[in-house]
Amino acid sequence: MNPHINNKVIIWGKDGYNPLGLLRQLYDVAQVTFLLYGGSRLCAVKSRYCTKSHKTNSLEEGMMWLLSEFRNERQKPFLIPTGDLVAEYIDQNREKLEPFFYLTGTTEPGLLTKVIDKNYMNQLATECGFLIPKSIQCRWDTDISNVNYPCLLKPDKNHFDHDKEFKTRICSSEEELSRVLGGVSKESCFVLQEYISKEYDALVYGFRGRNGTVSIPGILMKDRWDKGGDGTHGYLSPNIPSSISLNAIEIFLSIIDYKGLFSVEFGVLDDKAFFYEFNLRNDGTSHYFYQAGVNIPLLWMLDTLGCDFSDYLVKLDGYHDFIAISDDFVNVTSGRITYKQWREDKKKATVFRIYDKKDMRPYYYNMAIVALRPLRNAIQNVKKRTKK
């Protein structure tokens, strides 16, 4: 049974399954408000657990609302970011927000902005002992004559002043890489990286507490993905492979003195775990671990308040199968798996991305969006051809 915390909780971010998961985890724990940044995606806002929400069109407007609405609380609320831009904005305005809220982040204002740049993050991660694919910083005019192919190109970070051109691009030749770089902004910066033909993705999720102790309940292994690269099938386990160094994770977080929720992503090939990135905020998979028995955001809040949480499960108690039902169906239509296997995997699963029999509206909307996606893509392609 969850305790009740008198401190209010504000989830700040864009609509999606990350805040949806937090709403489901914390609804019985505290009074929760969803501060929506941007438009609705018909996900978290449709949850039966989203009973208090406020929408703003900018992060500046969101901060002004926070300081106006919560500055006189007798007990400091918790402010939980669900995306990199929100986490960075909180970090840059830490001195204004910290007197009134419990925050995740580094103790040095502005440091998070430096660390979430993937080029700097890779450098720091290498020093901490992580295995990093061969990487260089890359712009539109970088010399690519010595690049080995295939290679992976990804933006250095999210930016406040412009949307990133893409999430990742795999290029198989110098001609293809030149074509991609020819279409990006001259202001954009990327990580150009050796492509690892991964067998699966691995994600470690946890929190670093007020005394510097790192708590990790287990690992999520992902062996199928949707077209956007999100894992749609796999399992959770308490057993973290020896190829993933927990010591390196602790060193990294200690160097930047980060406190709060985090995750670390790896690509695994031949029992080698190649470091991808740290997410220095709540991860969208947090509710997967919650469905498997461990409520990490709750544990972090109890730790922050100095409460004893020894009676709560802090480690997964076994293996738990995961599937993102609607989004995983792309692996059927692409021929990677059969419809029969998809149905069997769905039946075995106990952990889901959006599906929850107690909170079905987000799932129904997600099914409709997935079903209409081919039509939407076709319309967008027609518009592109018309413009030409």
Side-chain angles (χ1 to χ4, degrees), residues 36-296:
L36 172 61
Y37 163 49
S40 167
R41 297 178 183 173
L42 305 177
C43 189
V45 295
K46 294 299 180 181
S47 171
R48 64 184 290 257
Y49 302 113
C50 186
T51 58
K52 295 177 71 70
S53 64
H54 182 80
K55 178 182 177 298
T56 67
N57 294 316
S58 69
L59 293 172
E60 294 82 0
E61 184 184 339
M63 186 176 71
M64 296 301 294
W65 181 80
L66 284 168
L67 292 174
S68 172
E69 191 75 10
F70 297 101
R71 68 182 305 134
N72 295 318
E73 295 292 326
R74 295 181 62 183
Q75 296 178 324
K76 287 170 65 170
F78 287 89
L79 181 58
I80 305 178
T82 61
D84 289 341
L85 281 182
V86 177
E88 182 179 356
Y89 188 79
I90 290 173
D91 175 63
Q92 293 179 352
N93 292 276
R94 193 173 188 88
E95 293 180 352
K96 296 178 183 178
L97 292 167
E98 195 164 35
F100 308 106
F101 301 93
Y102 288 116
L103 307 175
T104 65
T106 58
T107 53
E108 177 186 334
L111 178 58
L112 190 72
T113 297
K114 182 178 180 180
V115 174
I116 63 177
D117 182 310
K118 291 183 178 63
N119 284 297
Y120 179 77
M121 182 184 288
N122 282 345
Q123 175 186 329
L124 183 57
T126 301
E127 294 171 4
C128 293
F130 290 102
L131 178 62
I132 311 288
K134 184 178 179 181
S135 307
I136 62 169
Q137 182 173 298
C138 181
R139 296 182 180 274
W140 68 276
D141 58 349
T142 296
D143 179 10
I144 58 172
S145 59
N146 294 317
V147 174
N148 293 322
Y149 297 92
C151 66
L152 183 71
L153 190 70
K154 56 186 177 182
D156 59 346
K157 63 189 292 292
N158 292 315
H159 293 270
F160 292 107
D161 56 352
H162 67 275
D163 291 333
K164 57 186 180 183
E165 286 88 347
F166 45 80
K167 186 174 181 179
T168 59
R169 283 286 174 86
I170 299 171
C171 298
S172 57
S173 66
E174 183 174 340
E175 180 184 3
E176 185 177 0
L177 178 58
S178 297
R179 186 167 61 250
V180 172
L181 290 175
V184 303
S185 167
K186 293 184 178 181
E187 306 300 320
S188 296
C189 185
F190 302 86
V191 178
L192 181 58
Q193 197 167 69
E194 171 190 7
Y195 175 71
I196 303 300
S197 183
K198 64 190 178 185
E199 297 166 12
Y200 51 86
D201 285 332
L203 182 141
V204 174
Y205 172 67
F207 76 92
R208 185 171 185 260
R210 58 195 174 93
N211 295 325
T213 301
V214 175
S215 180
I216 294 173
I219 193 165
L220 169 65
M221 309 295 259
K222 299 176 283 185
D223 57 12
R224 294 203 298 263
W225 302 267
D226 61 22
K227 289 185 177 179
D230 277 347
T232 57
H233 178 268
Y235 65 89
L236 294 98
S237 167
N239 303 317
I240 298 175
S242 59
S243 58
I244 294 177
S245 172
L246 297 182
N247 184 56
I249 293 174
E250 292 182 4
I251 291 172
F252 185 101
L253 296 172
S254 176
I255 287 175
I256 64 175
D257 196 20
Y258 176 85
K259 306 286 179 61
L261 304 165
F262 72 89
S263 70
V264 200
E265 298 181 53
F266 303 87
V268 181
L269 176 66
D270 296 332
D271 294 324
K272 293 180 180 179
F274 293 87
F275 173 85
Y276 282 167
E277 64 178 316
F278 266 90
N279 296 301
L280 298 171
R281 36 90 178 161
N282 184 67
D283 192 86
T285 63
S286 69
H287 60 300
Y288 302 173
F289 292 88
Y290 170 67
Q291 292 172 72
V294 183
N295 192 337
I296 286 290

Side-chain angles (χ1 to χ4, degrees), residues 2-16:
N2 286 328
H4 184 78
I5 294 174
N6 292 324
N7 309 69
K8 295 177 180 178
V9 176
I10 301 97
I11 300 166
W12 193 6
K14 294 187 175 182
D15 192 10

Side-chain angles (χ1 to χ4, degrees), residues 280-328:
L280 298 171
R281 36 90 178 161
N282 184 67
D283 192 86
T285 63
S286 69
H287 60 300
Y288 302 173
F289 292 88
Y290 170 67
Q291 292 172 72
V294 183
N295 192 337
I296 286 290
L298 169 61
L299 298 181
W300 166 64
M301 290 192 293
L302 291 174
D303 177 86
T304 301
L305 296 172
C307 299
D308 177 31
F309 55 86
S310 58
D311 290 338
Y312 296 92
L313 195 65
V314 297
K315 195 80 172 176
L316 297 180
D317 59 1
Y319 287 78
H320 302 263
D321 288 293
F322 154 74
I323 191 171
I325 298 174
S326 301
D327 298 302
D328 189 55

Side-chain angles (χ1 to χ4, degrees), residues 316-368:
L316 297 180
D317 59 1
Y319 287 78
H320 302 263
D321 288 293
F322 154 74
I323 191 171
I325 298 174
S326 301
D327 298 302
D328 189 55
F329 198 76
V330 70
N331 291 293
V332 177
T333 57
S334 67
R336 182 175 182 186
I337 60 172
T338 64
Y339 178 72
K340 180 181 178 182
Q341 182 181 341
W342 177 79
R343 283 180 58 88
E344 290 175 350
D345 290 342
K346 183 176 68 166
K347 188 175 181 179
K348 283 170 53 182
T350 58
V351 175
F352 306 95
R353 178 184 288 176
I354 295 178
Y355 175 83
D356 183 337
K357 63 182 179 181
K358 295 181 180 179
D359 185 28
M360 291 296 291
R361 288 181 69 198
Y363 175 68
Y364 291 143
Y365 276 98
N366 178 249
M367 287 182 65

